[in-house]
Coordinates of all heavy atoms in Angstrom, one line a residue:
M1 N -29.7 -67.0 -102.9 CA -28.8 -66.6 -101.8 C -29.1 -67.2 -100.5 O -30.3 -67.2 -100.0 CB -28.9 -65.0 -101.6 CG -28.0 -64.5 -100.6 SD -27.9 -62.7 -101.0 CE -27.6 -62.0 -99.4
S2 N -28.2 -67.8 -99.8 CA -28.5 -68.5 -98.6 C -28.5 -67.5 -97.4 O -27.9 -66.5 -97.4 CB -27.4 -69.6 -98.3 OG -26.3 -69.0 -98.0
T3 N -29.2 -67.9 -96.3 CA -29.4 -67.1 -95.2 C -28.3 -67.5 -94.1 O -28.3 -68.8 -93.8 CB -30.8 -67.2 -94.6 OG1 -31.6 -66.7 -95.6 CG2 -31.0 -66.2 -93.4
L4 N -27.5 -66.6 -93.7 CA -26.7 -67.0 -92.6 C -27.2 -66.6 -91.3 O -27.7 -65.5 -91.1 CB -25.3 -66.2 -92.7 CG -24.2 -66.4 -91.8 CD1 -23.7 -67.8 -91.8 CD2 -23.1 -65.4 -92.0
R5 N -27.3 -67.6 -90.3 CA -27.7 -67.5 -88.9 C -26.8 -67.8 -87.9 O -25.8 -68.6 -88.1 CB -29.0 -68.2 -88.6 CG -30.1 -67.8 -89.4 CD -31.3 -68.4 -89.0 NE -32.5 -68.0 -89.8 CZ -33.7 -68.3 -89.4 NH1 -34.0 -68.9 -88.4 NH2 -34.7 -67.7 -90.1
N6 N -26.7 -66.9 -86.8 CA -25.7 -67.2 -85.8 C -26.7 -67.5 -84.6 O -27.7 -66.8 -84.3 CB -24.7 -66.1 -85.5 CG -23.8 -65.9 -86.6 OD1 -23.3 -66.9 -87.0 ND2 -23.5 -64.7 -86.9
K7 N -26.1 -68.3 -83.6 CA -27.1 -68.6 -82.4 C -26.1 -68.6 -81.2 O -25.1 -69.2 -81.3 CB -27.6 -69.9 -82.5 CG -28.6 -70.3 -81.3 CD -29.3 -71.7 -81.6 CE -30.1 -72.0 -80.3 NZ -30.8 -73.2 -80.6
V8 N -26.5 -67.7 -80.2 CA -25.7 -67.7 -78.9 C -26.6 -68.1 -77.8 O -27.7 -67.6 -77.8 CB -25.2 -66.3 -78.8 CG1 -24.4 -66.1 -77.5 CG2 -24.2 -66.0 -80.1
Q9 N -26.1 -68.8 -77.0 CA -26.8 -69.0 -75.6 C -26.0 -68.5 -74.4 O -24.9 -68.8 -74.3 CB -27.0 -70.5 -75.4 CG -27.7 -70.7 -74.0 CD -28.1 -72.3 -73.9 OE1 -27.7 -73.2 -74.5 NE2 -28.9 -72.5 -72.8
L10 N -26.6 -67.5 -73.8 CA -25.9 -66.8 -72.7 C -26.5 -67.3 -71.4 O -27.8 -67.3 -71.3 CB -26.1 -65.3 -72.8 CG -25.4 -64.6 -74.0 CD1 -25.9 -63.1 -74.0 CD2 -24.0 -64.6 -73.9
I11 N -25.8 -67.7 -70.5 CA -26.2 -68.0 -69.2 C -25.5 -67.1 -68.2 O -24.3 -67.0 -68.1 CB -25.8 -69.5 -68.7 CG1 -26.5 -70.4 -69.9 CG2 -26.3 -69.8 -67.4 CD1 -26.0 -71.8 -69.7
G12 N -26.4 -66.3 -67.4 CA -25.8 -65.4 -66.6 C -26.8 -64.7 -65.6 O -28.0 -65.3 -65.7
H13 N -26.5 -63.7 -64.9 CA -27.5 -63.1 -63.9 C -27.9 -61.8 -64.5 O -27.1 -60.9 -65.0 CB -26.7 -62.9 -62.5 CG -26.5 -64.2 -61.9 ND1 -25.4 -64.9 -62.1 CD2 -27.3 -64.9 -61.0 CE1 -25.4 -66.0 -61.4 NE2 -26.6 -66.0 -60.7
V14 N -29.1 -61.5 -64.2 CA -29.7 -60.2 -64.7 C -29.2 -59.1 -63.8 O -29.3 -59.1 -62.6 CB -31.4 -60.3 -64.6 CG1 -32.0 -59.0 -65.0 CG2 -31.8 -61.4 -65.5
G15 N -28.8 -57.9 -64.4 CA -28.2 -56.9 -63.9 C -29.1 -56.0 -63.2 O -28.9 -55.4 -62.0
N16 N -30.2 -55.6 -63.7 CA -31.3 -54.8 -63.3 C -32.7 -55.3 -63.6 O -32.7 -56.2 -64.6 CB -31.2 -53.3 -63.8 CG -30.0 -52.6 -63.3 OD1 -29.6 -52.7 -62.1 ND2 -29.4 -51.9 -64.2
D17 N -33.8 -54.9 -62.9 CA -35.0 -55.2 -63.2 C -35.3 -54.8 -64.8 O -34.8 -53.8 -65.1 CB -36.1 -54.6 -62.4 CG -36.1 -55.2 -61.0 OD1 -36.0 -56.4 -60.8 OD2 -36.6 -54.5 -60.1
P18 N -35.9 -55.7 -65.5 CA -36.0 -55.5 -66.9 C -36.9 -54.1 -67.2 O -37.9 -53.9 -66.4 CB -36.8 -56.6 -67.5 CG -36.4 -57.8 -66.5 CD -36.2 -57.2 -65.1
E19 N -36.5 -53.4 -68.1 CA -37.4 -52.3 -68.6 C -38.4 -52.8 -69.5 O -38.1 -53.3 -70.6 CB -36.4 -51.2 -69.1 CG -37.3 -50.0 -69.7 CD -36.4 -49.0 -70.5 OE1 -35.1 -49.1 -70.4 OE2 -36.9 -48.3 -71.1
I20 N -39.7 -52.5 -69.2 CA -40.7 -53.0 -70.1 C -41.4 -51.8 -70.7 O -41.7 -50.9 -70.1 CB -41.9 -53.7 -69.4 CG1 -41.3 -54.9 -68.5 CG2 -43.0 -54.3 -70.1 CD1 -40.6 -55.9 -69.3
V21 N -41.5 -51.9 -72.1 CA -42.1 -50.9 -72.9 C -43.4 -51.4 -73.6 O -43.2 -52.4 -74.3 CB -41.1 -50.3 -74.0 CG1 -41.8 -49.2 -74.8 CG2 -39.8 -49.7 -73.3
N22 N -44.5 -50.8 -73.4 CA -45.7 -51.2 -74.2 C -45.8 -50.3 -75.4 O -45.9 -49.1 -75.4 CB -46.9 -50.7 -73.3 CG -47.1 -51.7 -72.1 OD1 -47.0 -52.9 -72.2 ND2 -47.0 -51.1 -70.8
L23 N -45.8 -51.1 -76.5 CA -45.8 -50.4 -77.8 C -47.2 -50.0 -78.3 O -48.2 -50.6 -77.8 CB -45.0 -51.2 -78.9 CG -43.6 -51.7 -78.5 CD1 -43.2 -52.7 -79.5 CD2 -42.8 -50.5 -78.5
E24 N -47.2 -49.1 -79.2 CA -48.6 -48.6 -79.6 C -49.4 -49.9 -80.3 O -50.6 -49.8 -80.3 CB -48.4 -47.5 -80.8 CG -47.9 -46.3 -80.2 CD -47.9 -45.3 -81.2 OE1 -48.4 -45.3 -82.3 OE2 -47.3 -44.1 -80.8
S25 N -48.6 -50.7 -80.9 CA -49.3 -51.9 -81.5 C -49.9 -53.0 -80.5 O -50.6 -53.9 -81.0 CB -48.2 -52.7 -82.3 OG -47.3 -53.3 -81.5
G26 N -49.6 -52.7 -79.2 CA -50.1 -53.5 -78.2 C -49.2 -54.6 -77.7 O -49.4 -55.3 -76.6
K27 N -48.0 -54.7 -78.5 CA -47.0 -55.6 -78.1 C -46.0 -55.0 -77.0 O -46.1 -53.9 -76.9 CB -46.2 -56.0 -79.2 CG -47.0 -56.9 -80.3 CD -46.1 -57.5 -81.3 CE -46.9 -58.3 -82.3 NZ -46.1 -59.0 -83.3
K28 N -45.3 -55.9 -76.3 CA -44.4 -55.4 -75.3 C -42.9 -55.6 -75.8 O -42.6 -56.5 -76.7 CB -44.5 -56.2 -74.0 CG -45.9 -55.8 -73.4 CD -45.9 -56.3 -72.0 CE -47.3 -56.0 -71.4 NZ -47.4 -56.3 -69.9
L29 N -42.1 -54.8 -75.3 CA -40.7 -54.7 -75.5 C -40.0 -54.9 -74.2 O -40.4 -54.2 -73.2 CB -40.3 -53.7 -76.2 CG -38.7 -53.3 -76.3 CD1 -38.0 -54.2 -77.3 CD2 -38.6 -51.9 -76.7
A30 N -39.0 -55.7 -73.9 CA -38.3 -55.8 -72.7 C -36.8 -55.6 -72.9 O -36.2 -56.3 -73.9 CB -38.5 -57.3 -72.0
K31 N -36.1 -54.8 -72.1 CA -34.7 -54.5 -72.3 C -34.1 -54.7 -70.9 O -34.5 -54.3 -69.9 CB -34.4 -53.1 -72.7 CG -35.0 -52.7 -74.0 CD -34.5 -51.4 -74.6 CE -35.5 -50.2 -74.1 NZ -35.1 -48.9 -74.7
F32 N -32.9 -55.4 -70.9 CA -32.3 -55.8 -69.6 C -30.8 -56.2 -70.1 O -30.5 -56.5 -71.1 CB -32.9 -56.9 -68.7 CG -33.1 -58.1 -69.5 CD1 -32.3 -59.1 -69.1 CD2 -34.2 -58.5 -70.4 CE1 -32.4 -60.5 -69.8 CE2 -34.3 -59.6 -71.0 CZ -33.4 -60.5 -70.7
S33 N -30.0 -56.3 -69.0 CA -28.6 -56.7 -69.2 C -28.3 -58.0 -68.4 O -28.9 -58.2 -67.3 CB -27.5 -55.6 -68.8 OG -27.8 -55.3 -67.5
I34 N -27.4 -58.8 -68.9 CA -27.1 -59.9 -68.3 C -25.5 -60.0 -68.1 O -24.8 -59.5 -69.0 CB -27.5 -61.3 -69.1 CG1 -28.8 -61.5 -69.3 CG2 -26.7 -62.5 -68.6 CD1 -29.2 -62.5 -70.2
A35 N -25.1 -60.4 -66.9 CA -23.6 -60.5 -66.6 C -23.2 -61.9 -66.7 O -23.8 -62.8 -66.2 CB -23.3 -60.0 -65.2
T36 N -22.2 -62.3 -67.5 CA -21.6 -63.6 -67.6 C -20.2 -63.4 -67.0 O -19.6 -62.6 -67.2 CB -21.5 -64.1 -69.0 OG1 -20.8 -63.2 -69.9 CG2 -22.9 -64.2 -69.6
N37 N -19.7 -64.5 -66.3 CA -18.5 -64.5 -65.8 C -17.6 -65.8 -66.3 O -18.1 -66.7 -66.6 CB -18.6 -64.8 -64.2 CG -19.3 -63.7 -63.7 OD1 -18.9 -62.6 -63.7 ND2 -20.2 -64.0 -62.8
E38 N -16.3 -65.4 -66.4 CA -15.2 -66.3 -66.8 C -14.1 -66.3 -65.8 O -13.7 -65.3 -65.4 CB -14.6 -66.0 -68.2 CG -13.6 -67.0 -68.7 CD -12.9 -66.6 -69.9 OE1 -13.2 -65.5 -70.4 OE2 -12.1 -67.4 -70.5
S39 N -13.8 -67.5 -65.2 CA -12.8 -67.5 -64.1 C -11.6 -68.3 -64.7 O -11.7 -69.4 -65.4 CB -13.3 -68.3 -62.9 OG -14.3 -67.5 -62.4
Y40 N -10.4 -67.9 -64.4 CA -9.2 -68.6 -64.8 C -8.0 -68.2 -63.7 O -8.3 -67.2 -63.1 CB -8.8 -68.3 -66.3 CG -8.6 -66.7 -66.5 CD1 -7.3 -66.3 -66.4 CD2 -9.7 -66.0 -66.8 CE1 -7.0 -64.9 -66.6 CE2 -9.4 -64.5 -67.0 CZ -8.1 -64.1 -66.9 OH -7.9 -62.8 -67.2
K41 N -7.0 -69.0 -63.9 CA -5.8 -68.6 -63.1 C -4.8 -68.0 -64.0 O -4.5 -68.5 -65.1 CB -5.3 -69.9 -62.5 CG -6.2 -70.3 -61.3 CD -5.6 -71.6 -60.5 CE -6.5 -71.9 -59.5 NZ -5.9 -72.9 -58.7
N42 N -4.2 -66.9 -63.5 CA -3.1 -66.2 -64.3 C -1.8 -67.0 -64.0 O -1.7 -68.0 -63.3 CB -3.1 -64.8 -64.0 CG -2.6 -64.5 -62.5 OD1 -2.1 -65.3 -61.9 ND2 -2.7 -63.2 -62.1
S43 N -0.7 -66.4 -64.6 CA 0.5 -67.0 -64.6 C 1.2 -67.2 -63.1 O 1.9 -68.0 -62.9 CB 1.7 -66.4 -65.5 OG 1.7 -65.0 -65.0
K44 N 0.6 -66.3 -62.2 CA 1.0 -66.4 -60.8 C 0.2 -67.3 -60.1 O 0.4 -67.5 -58.9 CB 1.0 -65.0 -60.2 CG 1.9 -64.0 -60.9 CD 1.7 -62.7 -60.2 CE 2.7 -61.6 -60.9 NZ 2.5 -60.2 -60.3
G45 N -0.8 -67.9 -60.6 CA -1.7 -68.9 -59.9 C -3.0 -68.2 -59.2 O -3.6 -68.9 -58.6
E46 N -3.1 -66.9 -59.4 CA -4.1 -66.1 -58.9 C -5.5 -66.4 -59.8 O -5.5 -66.5 -60.9 CB -3.8 -64.8 -58.8 CG -2.6 -64.4 -58.1 CD -2.0 -62.9 -58.3 OE1 -2.3 -62.4 -59.3 OE2 -1.4 -62.4 -57.3
K47 N -6.5 -66.5 -58.9 CA -7.9 -66.7 -59.7 C -8.4 -65.4 -60.1 O -8.4 -64.4 -59.3 CB -8.8 -67.2 -58.7 CG -10.2 -67.5 -59.4 CD -11.2 -68.3 -58.5 CE -12.5 -68.4 -59.2 NZ -13.6 -69.0 -58.3
I48 N -8.6 -65.2 -61.4 CA -9.2 -64.0 -62.0 C -10.5 -64.3 -62.5 O -10.8 -65.3 -63.1 CB -8.2 -63.7 -63.2 CG1 -6.8 -63.5 -62.9 CG2 -8.8 -62.3 -63.8 CD1 -6.5 -62.5 -61.8
T49 N -11.4 -63.3 -62.3 CA -12.8 -63.5 -62.7 C -13.1 -62.3 -63.7 O -12.9 -61.1 -63.2 CB -13.8 -63.5 -61.6 OG1 -13.5 -64.6 -60.7 CG2 -15.3 -63.6 -62.1
D50 N -13.5 -62.6 -64.9 CA -13.7 -61.6 -65.8 C -15.3 -61.5 -66.1 O -15.8 -62.4 -66.5 CB -12.9 -61.8 -67.2 CG -13.1 -60.9 -68.2 OD1 -13.4 -59.5 -67.9 OD2 -13.1 -61.2 -69.4
T51 N -15.9 -60.3 -65.9 CA -17.3 -60.2 -66.1 C -17.6 -59.4 -67.4 O -16.9 -58.4 -67.7 CB -17.9 -59.5 -64.9 OG1 -17.6 -60.2 -63.7 CG2 -19.5 -59.4 -65.0
Q52 N -18.5 -59.9 -68.1 CA -18.9 -59.3 -69.5 C -20.4 -59.0 -69.4 O -21.2 -59.9 -68.9 CB -18.6 -60.2 -70.7 CG -17.3 -60.6 -70.9 CD -16.4 -59.5 -71.5 OE1 -16.9 -58.7 -72.3 NE2 -15.2 -59.3 -71.0
W53 N -20.8 -57.9 -69.8 CA -22.1 -57.5 -69.7 C -22.7 -57.5 -71.1 O -22.1 -57.1 -72.0 CB -22.3 -56.0 -69.2 CG -22.0 -56.0 -67.6 CD1 -20.9 -55.8 -67.0 CD2 -23.1 -56.3 -66.7 NE1 -21.1 -55.8 -65.7 CE2 -22.4 -56.1 -65.5 CE3 -24.4 -56.6 -66.7 CZ2 -23.0 -56.4 -64.2 CZ3 -25.1 -56.9 -65.5 CH2 -24.4 -56.7 -64.3
H54 N -23.9 -58.1 -71.3 CA -24.7 -58.2 -72.5 C -26.1 -57.5 -72.5 O -26.8 -57.8 -71.6 CB -24.8 -59.7 -72.7 CG -23.5 -60.5 -72.7 ND1 -22.7 -60.7 -73.8 CD2 -23.0 -61.2 -71.6 CE1 -21.6 -61.4 -73.3 NE2 -21.9 -61.6 -71.9
N55 N -26.2 -56.6 -73.4 CA -27.7 -55.9 -73.4 C -28.5 -56.8 -74.2 O -28.2 -57.3 -75.4 CB -27.4 -54.7 -74.3 CG -26.6 -53.6 -73.3 OD1 -26.8 -53.8 -72.1 ND2 -25.8 -53.0 -73.9
I56 N -29.7 -57.1 -73.7 CA -30.8 -58.0 -74.2 C -32.0 -57.3 -74.5 O -32.4 -56.4 -73.7 CB -30.9 -59.2 -73.3 CG1 -29.8 -59.8 -72.9 CG2 -32.0 -60.2 -74.0 CD1 -28.9 -60.6 -73.8
V57 N -32.6 -57.5 -75.7 CA -34.0 -57.0 -76.1 C -34.9 -58.1 -76.5 O -34.4 -59.0 -77.3 CB -33.8 -56.1 -77.3 CG1 -35.1 -55.5 -77.7 CG2 -32.9 -55.0 -76.9
A58 N -35.9 -58.2 -75.9 CA -36.9 -59.2 -76.3 C -38.2 -58.7 -76.7 O -38.6 -57.5 -76.1 CB -37.2 -60.2 -75.0
W59 N -39.0 -59.3 -77.6 CA -40.3 -58.6 -78.1 C -41.4 -59.7 -77.9 O -41.1 -60.8 -77.6 CB -40.2 -58.6 -79.7 CG -39.0 -57.7 -80.0 CD1 -37.7 -58.0 -80.3 CD2 -39.2 -56.3 -80.2 NE1 -37.0 -56.9 -80.6 CE2 -37.9 -55.9 -80.7 CE3 -40.2 -55.3 -80.4 CZ2 -37.6 -54.5 -81.0 CZ3 -39.8 -54.1 -80.7 CH2 -38.6 -53.7 -81.0
G60 N -42.5 -59.1 -77.8 CA -43.8 -60.0 -77.9 C -44.1 -60.9 -76.6 O -44.0 -60.5 -75.5
K61 N -44.4 -62.1 -76.9 CA -44.7 -63.0 -75.7 C -43.4 -63.3 -74.9 O -43.5 -63.4 -73.5 CB -45.1 -64.5 -76.4 CG -45.4 -65.5 -75.4 CD -46.7 -65.0 -74.6 CE -47.2 -66.2 -73.8 NZ -48.3 -65.8 -72.8
T62 N -42.2 -63.2 -75.5 CA -41.0 -63.6 -74.7 C -40.9 -62.3 -73.6 O -40.5 -62.5 -72.6 CB -39.7 -63.5 -75.5 OG1 -40.0 -64.6 -76.5 CG2 -38.5 -63.7 -74.8
A63 N -41.1 -61.1 -74.2 CA -41.1 -59.9 -73.3 C -42.1 -60.0 -72.1 O -41.8 -59.6 -71.0 CB -41.3 -58.6 -74.0
E64 N -43.3 -60.6 -72.4 CA -44.4 -60.7 -71.5 C -43.9 -61.7 -70.4 O -43.9 -61.5 -69.1 CB -45.5 -61.1 -72.0 CG -46.3 -60.3 -72.8 CD -47.5 -60.8 -73.6 OE1 -48.0 -61.8 -73.2 OE2 -48.0 -60.0 -74.6
L65 N -43.1 -62.8 -70.7 CA -42.6 -63.7 -69.8 C -41.5 -63.1 -69.1 O -41.5 -63.5 -67.7 CB -42.2 -65.0 -70.5 CG -43.2 -65.8 -71.2 CD1 -42.6 -66.9 -72.1 CD2 -44.1 -66.5 -70.2
I66 N -40.8 -62.4 -69.5 CA -39.6 -61.8 -68.8 C -40.2 -60.7 -67.9 O -39.8 -60.7 -66.7 CB -38.7 -61.0 -69.8 CG1 -37.8 -62.0 -70.6 CG2 -37.9 -60.0 -69.1 CD1 -37.2 -61.4 -71.8
E67 N -41.3 -60.0 -68.1 CA -41.9 -59.1 -67.2 C -42.4 -59.8 -66.0 O -42.3 -59.4 -64.8 CB -43.0 -58.4 -68.0 CG -43.8 -57.5 -67.1 CD -44.8 -56.6 -67.8 OE1 -45.5 -57.4 -68.7 OE2 -45.3 -55.5 -67.4
S68 N -42.9 -61.1 -66.3 CA -43.6 -61.8 -65.0 C -42.6 -62.6 -64.3 O -42.8 -62.7 -63.1 CB -44.6 -62.8 -65.7 OG -45.6 -62.2 -66.4
Y69 N -41.5 -63.0 -64.9 CA -40.7 -64.0 -64.2 C -39.1 -63.7 -64.0 O -38.4 -64.5 -63.4 CB -40.9 -65.4 -64.9 CG -42.2 -65.9 -64.9 CD1 -42.9 -66.0 -66.1 CD2 -42.8 -66.3 -63.7 CE1 -44.1 -66.5 -66.1 CE2 -44.1 -66.9 -63.8 CZ -44.8 -67.0 -65.0 OH -46.0 -67.4 -65.1
V70 N -38.8 -62.5 -64.6 CA -37.3 -62.3 -64.5 C -37.0 -61.0 -63.6 O -37.0 -59.9 -64.2 CB -36.8 -62.2 -65.9 CG1 -35.3 -61.9 -65.9 CG2 -37.0 -63.5 -66.7
P71 N -36.7 -61.2 -62.3 CA -36.2 -60.1 -61.6 C -34.8 -59.8 -61.6 O -34.0 -60.7 -62.0 CB -36.7 -60.4 -60.2 CG -36.6 -61.8 -60.1 CD -36.9 -62.3 -61.6
K72 N -34.3 -58.7 -61.1 CA -32.8 -58.5 -60.9 C -32.1 -59.6 -60.2 O -32.8 -60.1 -59.2 CB -32.6 -57.1 -60.1 CG -31.2 -56.8 -59.8 CD -31.1 -55.5 -59.1 CE -29.6 -55.3 -58.7 NZ -29.5 -54.0 -58.0
G73 N -31.0 -60.1 -60.6 CA -30.3 -61.1 -59.8 C -30.5 -62.5 -60.2 O -29.8 -63.4 -60.0
K74 N -31.7 -62.7 -61.0 CA -32.1 -64.0 -61.3 C -31.1 -64.6 -62.4 O -30.7 -64.0 -63.3 CB -33.5 -64.2 -62.0 CG -34.0 -65.6 -62.3 CD -35.5 -65.5 -62.6 CE -36.0 -66.9 -62.9 NZ -36.0 -67.8 -61.7
E75 N -30.6 -65.9 -62.3 CA -29.9 -66.4 -63.3 C -30.8 -66.9 -64.5 O -31.9 -67.6 -64.3 CB -29.2 -67.8 -62.8 CG -28.2 -68.3 -63.8 CD -27.5 -69.6 -63.2 OE1 -28.1 -70.6 -62.9 OE2 -26.3 -69.5 -63.4
V76 N -30.5 -66.6 -65.6 CA -31.1 -66.9 -66.8 C -30.2 -67.5 -67.9 O -29.0 -67.3 -67.8 CB -31.9 -65.7 -67.4 CG1 -33.0 -65.2 -66.6 CG2 -31.0 -64.7 -67.8
G77 N -30.9 -68.3 -68.8 CA -30.0 -68.9 -69.7 C -30.7 -69.6 -70.8 O -31.8 -69.9 -71.0

């Protein structure tokens, strides 16, 4: 049986300071949200911006890097 994998790259701004959880195993967990924006013109020629929010969870070394370098408002991708 083959393994199906999907890959997504999100580029956006962090909505709140990441929530860091220290697990009993000694590893860290980081939870935060990213806002991505899409802009387009409607049929009347008005510019419309649509914002989508994405909940992100990171583990281990990635969570440690997020804790150190990713504050609210920072663009990440």
Side-chain angles (χ1 to χ4, degrees):
M1 184 165 150
S2 67
T3 302
L4 177 66
R5 290 190 178 192
N6 293 319
K7 183 176 181 178
V8 174
Q9 182 176 5
L10 295 172
I11 300 172
H13 290 88
V14 177
N16 289 318
D17 286 326
E19 176 187 346
I20 306 298
V21 178
N22 293 304
L23 303 172
E24 290 180 15
S25 65
K27 292 189 178 186
K28 291 191 178 191
L29 167 73
K31 295 191 275 186
F32 60 102
S33 59
I34 294 177
T36 57
N37 296 311
E38 177 184 11
S39 297
Y40 60 92
K41 290 188 178 182
N42 66 12
S43 60
K44 296 178 184 177
E46 301 167 327
K47 183 179 178 182
I48 305 294
T49 301
D50 182 32
T51 302
Q52 298 289 320
W53 287 93
H54 310 272
N55 294 319
I56 310 297
V57 177
W59 301 85
K61 184 67 174 173
T62 304
E64 292 174 17
L65 291 170
I66 290 167
E67 180 180 31
S68 298
Y69 300 109
V70 181
K72 175 183 176 179
K74 182 170 182 78
E75 184 178 59
V76 294

